[in-house]
Amino acid sequence: MTTGVRRRMGVEERRQQLIGVALELFSNRSPEDVSIDEIAAAAGISRPLVYHYFPGKLSLYEAALRRAADELAQRFVEPQQGPLGARLLRVMGRFFAFVDDHGPGFSALMRGGPAVGSTRTNQMIDEVRQAAYEEILRHLGIEKPPARLRLVVRSWVSLAESTALIWLEGREIPRSELELQLVHDFAALAAVSAAYDAEMAGILVRILADEPADGPFGELVGRLVGLVPGEADPQPADTDASATEPADAGPANAGPAKTEPADADTGPAEPALPGPR
């Protein structure tokens, strides 16, 4: 027969339990809408006991954000093997999985939530961005990045963050499409920078040298080529014949368009409107 006696938790174990409970609640609802009473009930303890471990809701909120920030930073860690495009696509898959699972919590972390303007919260946000930045540089194998590459990577990290926040507002675009689009965005940012700087051009060439045609970067090239009129979009066969046929092709070119020889001894005159060779 069980006695129903509950195991007593140690101080740190209870703190970690409360952080986990709070993070779960914050992941499904805005932190402003979650009360200490709800957190206590979910943890199976009394409201005063929550205050025994945390001075207040803000302290618990910041602890939950700390855990979320650490987990989010880990989503950018990826073995440095294989083409860069495929690695970045896996990173974006894990990043958006976190965003999808912790929507309100992610928004609170990136926007500050109840602690907006807090030095500690701002520091956590900066740490996540810095971790993502450093991990991307490791993927590129560059320890001392030039100024333009630093700009590209930081811009891309910021773009991924803002894209995720906007996506959460309505999830109007399929998640998988956004993940791929962000990988393409990285290539586009690098390509534009390479057009202005020889060092960036060399980095881009090195990146693309290992990319397969069926990888994310190869797919981007295919999409862009498809937008350019050319062999993939030939002109209709019934275009103006005068622009494509020789001027002396037949009776249709006879008459006023053909000039008479200036002198019988000089031979036939050239057509007035010679066609393409």
Side-chain angles (χ1 to χ4, degrees):
M1 179 178 179
T2 59
T3 61
V5 176
R6 185 175 301 169
R7 182 178 66 85
R8 184 180 181 86
M9 291 186 181
V11 174
E12 185 57 29
E13 186 180 8
R14 178 66 77 184
R15 280 179 55 85
Q16 293 304 316
Q17 182 215 19
L18 285 171
I19 291 171
V21 167
L23 182 58
E24 181 66 25
L25 291 172
F26 294 155
S27 295
N28 293 285
R29 289 161 53 205
S30 174
E32 292 92 336
D33 297 333
V34 178
S35 68
I36 288 291
D37 288 332
E38 289 179 88
I39 296 171
I45 61 176
S46 65
R47 175 189 174 96
L49 196 54
V50 174
Y51 287 109
H52 175 72
Y53 294 100
F54 292 94
K57 179 179 172 180
L58 180 59
S59 175
L60 179 55
Y61 170 76
E62 289 181 343
L65 286 189
R66 174 76 274 170
R67 181 180 291 186
D70 291 343
E71 182 181 345
L72 183 56
Q74 285 298 312
R75 299 297 176 106
F76 285 87
V77 177
E78 170 74 20
Q80 299 173 30
Q81 300 172 352
L84 178 64
R87 280 182 270 161
L88 291 181
L89 187 57
R90 288 192 292 270
V91 167
M92 285 295 97
R94 290 194 300 271
F95 172 73
F96 267 89
F98 178 92
V99 172
D100 206 0
D101 293 340
H102 305 282
F106 174 80
S107 295
L109 173 62
M110 292 295 131
R111 291 173 171 152
V116 63
S118 163
T119 301
R120 189 175 302 177
T121 303
N122 291 339
Q123 181 181 353
M124 282 188 275
I125 296 171
D126 289 340
E127 287 175 2
V128 172
R129 292 168 178 159
Q130 183 65 20
Y133 167 78
E134 292 176 357
E135 190 62 28
I136 298 305
L137 288 181
R138 275 192 284 272
H139 286 307
L140 295 171
I142 298 176
E143 294 183 1
K144 296 181 179 179
R148 288 184 185 274
L149 181 59
R150 295 198 302 270
L151 179 62
V152 164
V153 176
R154 291 198 183 279
S155 296
W156 184 70
V157 171
S158 178
L159 178 62
E161 173 190 323
S162 58
T163 298
L165 287 171
I166 294 171
W167 178 75
L168 281 173
E169 294 175 0
R171 290 178 167 83
E172 296 175 320
I173 300 175
R175 198 182 99 186
S176 59
E177 288 185 16
L178 278 186
E179 293 166 6
L180 180 60
Q181 181 178 314
L182 279 165
V183 176
H184 289 169
D185 287 333
F186 181 87
L189 287 169
V192 170
S193 185
Y196 286 85
D197 182 78
E199 188 172 11
M200 275 299 302
I203 293 172
L204 182 62
V205 168
R206 179 171 61 81
I207 292 172
L208 296 179
D210 297 328
E211 291 294 323
D214 60 349
F217 291 168
E219 179 180 346
L220 173 61
V221 172
R223 288 174 179 267
L224 293 176
V225 168
L227 297 176
V228 179
E231 293 184 1
D233 183 23
Q235 294 295 321
D238 60 346
T239 54
D240 185 5
S242 65
T244 57
E245 295 183 1
D248 58 353
N253 291 317
K258 186 175 180 181
T259 60
E260 294 295 331
D263 190 315
D265 296 330
T266 61
E270 290 293 328
L273 298 173
R277 296 181 180 274

